[in-house]
Amino acid sequence: MTDFPKELLTGYGLYKERIYRQFEEEYQNLAIYGQEPEVMVISCCDSRVTPEGIFHAQPGELFVVRNVANLVPPFIQGGGTHGTSAALEYAVTGLKVKHLVVLGHCKCGGVQAFRESNGKLSKTGQFVGPWIKMLEPAAITLACTPVDKHEDPQLALEYAGIRQSLKNLMTFPFIEKLVTQGNLDIHGAWFDIGSGALRVMSKETEIFEDAQDLRAQLKEQEAED
């Protein structure tokens, strides 16, 4: 008898009967011709946040990397195990995606751990501590020049972490070059797990705006055109 999780086997059965059967031809084409996603999403590994579900994406439409607190590290020259950086490099230089989206979310455990550490990040774990230390510049910026002056501290740092990751993206030479040329766009977004609300960061103001309002504006624009 296998000790593989029973719920996963059950889920696979439903996937094969319902999802795969519905998209069988698309899956076969993806297997033969490869993937050509236009969007990469850097998301949190929180089990409650699934980019493919949030954006109703079909197989092959999103290239996704997930890590604790959806952080993008700054560009570092040299060796090491840089998982997120490797995924960025492959997505941008290999797959030639057109959009990079940093997707944060409410009640992020990584952000909460940073806030509760009181600077003693070694207590958050051997690997988690050094990783969430990347939130320090975001916390400093938030304290000195807050964009969202009336948000609660957790939410404010979730937003600030997204902004910092967007800044870190631009430290990668191959990303900065393509963004400057107009061949690549970077975006920030935040998801509310309980309400299902999505907020998108304005590039001009760095304020997070309701995606439903943006959809309505887009529809109006399309109707006028």
Side-chain angles (χ1 to χ4, degrees), residues 114-135:
F114 178 88
R115 292 183 56 242
E116 294 177 350
S117 69
N118 295 317
K120 299 177 181 178
L121 292 173
S122 60
K123 293 185 177 181
T124 62
Q126 179 181 356
F127 301 107
V128 172
W131 180 258
I132 62 175
K133 185 178 174 64
M134 286 190 288
L135 282 166

Side-chain angles (χ1 to χ4, degrees), residues 107-219:
K107 304 297 187 293
C108 178
V111 172
Q112 183 177 350
F114 178 88
R115 292 183 56 242
E116 294 177 350
S117 69
N118 295 317
K120 299 177 181 178
L121 292 173
S122 60
K123 293 185 177 181
T124 62
Q126 179 181 356
F127 301 107
V128 172
W131 180 258
I132 62 175
K133 185 178 174 64
M134 286 190 288
L135 282 166
E136 277 188 348
I140 293 171
T141 300
L142 183 63
C144 296
T145 54
V147 177
D148 308 288
K149 297 181 180 180
H150 305 293
E151 301 285 3
D152 76 80
Q154 172 76 19
L155 177 58
L157 189 54
E158 288 165 0
Y159 284 170
I162 296 169
R163 296 187 189 105
Q164 184 61 48
S165 284
L166 293 173
K167 292 177 183 177
N168 289 348
L169 280 174
M170 292 297 287
T171 66
F172 289 78
F174 52 87
I175 292 177
E176 191 273 339
K177 178 181 178 181
L178 291 174
V179 170
T180 301
Q181 292 174 343
N183 295 319
L184 178 67
D185 281 327
I186 61 175
H187 314 271
W190 178 92
F191 180 69
D192 187 292
I193 297 167
S195 69
L198 180 72
R199 299 176 189 170
V200 177
M201 193 192 84
S202 165
K203 293 180 181 179
E204 289 74 25
T205 65
E206 295 194 345
I207 297 294
F208 284 78
E209 304 172 346
D210 192 288
Q212 291 284 51
D213 293 338
L214 298 177
R215 286 186 66 236
Q217 294 172 20
L218 183 61
K219 287 183 177 180

Side-chain angles (χ1 to χ4, degrees), residues 2-175:
T2 180
D3 59 355
F4 195 77
K6 181 177 67 174
E7 58 270 23
L8 295 186
L9 291 174
T10 301
Y12 168 70
L14 294 172
Y15 157 79
K16 198 68 192 294
E17 294 170 7
R18 300 177 184 178
I19 307 299
Y20 180 81
R21 184 174 296 176
Q22 182 181 357
F23 297 103
E24 183 172 356
E25 184 176 351
E26 287 87 344
Y27 278 115
Q28 291 175 351
N29 286 333
L30 286 169
I32 295 170
Y33 301 110
Q35 57 175 327
E36 294 182 340
E38 293 191 351
V39 178
M40 176 183 183
V41 180
I42 301 99
S43 179
C44 186
C45 47
D46 192 301
S47 62
R48 301 166 296 176
V49 182
T50 55
E52 295 88 349
I54 293 168
F55 297 112
H56 194 61
Q58 301 303 319
E61 289 185 345
L62 295 181
F63 186 77
V64 178
V65 63
R66 300 175 70 166
N67 62 47
V68 174
N70 45 268
L71 296 173
V72 174
F75 175 79
I76 299 176
Q77 196 72 261
T81 49
H82 306 293
T84 298
S85 300
L88 283 167
E89 183 178 48
Y90 178 62
V92 173
T93 66
L95 298 175
K96 302 188 186 305
V97 297
K98 294 181 173 62
H99 300 274
L100 299 176
V101 178
V102 177
L103 176 64
H105 68 95
C106 71
K107 304 297 187 293
C108 178
V111 172
Q112 183 177 350
F114 178 88
R115 292 183 56 242
E116 294 177 350
S117 69
N118 295 317
K120 299 177 181 178
L121 292 173
S122 60
K123 293 185 177 181
T124 62
Q126 179 181 356
F127 301 107
V128 172
W131 180 258
I132 62 175
K133 185 178 174 64
M134 286 190 288
L135 282 166
E136 277 188 348
I140 293 171
T141 300
L142 183 63
C144 296
T145 54
V147 177
D148 308 288
K149 297 181 180 180
H150 305 293
E151 301 285 3
D152 76 80
Q154 172 76 19
L155 177 58
L157 189 54
E158 288 165 0
Y159 284 170
I162 296 169
R163 296 187 189 105
Q164 184 61 48
S165 284
L166 293 173
K167 292 177 183 177
N168 289 348
L169 280 174
M170 292 297 287
T171 66
F172 289 78
F174 52 87
I175 292 177

